[in-house]
Amino acid sequence: MAGFGEVKVVCLVVIVVVAVAATAPQAEGAISCGQVMSSVAPCLAYLRGSGPVAASCCDGVKNLNKAAATKPDRQAVCGCIKSLAPSVGAKPDLINSLIGKCGVALPYRYSPSMDCSK
């Protein structure tokens, strides 16, 4: 079982994927924080500034982006990332750059003050 710190890290990476594309309260059937964490876990070193972007990181980001097809899903991912990114040491500029490095197009950028309810 993953430790609390590892869980925070995974959620942080999720921010990159669905970062600002999410908003509003979480609805039934939305993506869980556990799903987000498992998708972005390979990105942790990069997001902390201590490693390259691994292929498995981009695979997770792309899969998470595809899975977050509905507004409630995007909101759930956003909320998870927003709450955990700062506590795991993820750097906002690296969160935002990860999206482009993995070839994922999002109309928003991550910010610690982003509103996941819109």
Side-chain angles (χ1 to χ4, degrees), residues 34-51:
Q35 291 170 301
V36 170
M37 291 185 299
S38 65
S39 295
V40 298
C43 304
L44 184 56
Y46 174 76
L47 294 174
R48 288 181 171 167
S50 61

Side-chain angles (χ1 to χ4, degrees), residues 51-110:
V53 177
S56 58
C57 168
C58 286
D59 290 344
V61 168
K62 289 175 182 177
N63 289 334
L64 183 61
N65 189 46
K66 288 178 187 174
T70 67
K71 185 174 182 177
D73 287 339
R74 292 187 301 271
Q75 291 169 331
V77 171
C78 176
C80 181
I81 293 171
K82 182 179 176 182
S83 67
L84 296 176
S87 64
V88 297
K91 298 178 181 181
D93 59 323
L94 295 178
I95 292 171
N96 289 316
S97 71
L98 182 61
I99 297 166
K101 288 182 180 285
C102 291
V104 175
L106 295 178
Y108 306 100
R109 293 181 47 83
Y110 165 77

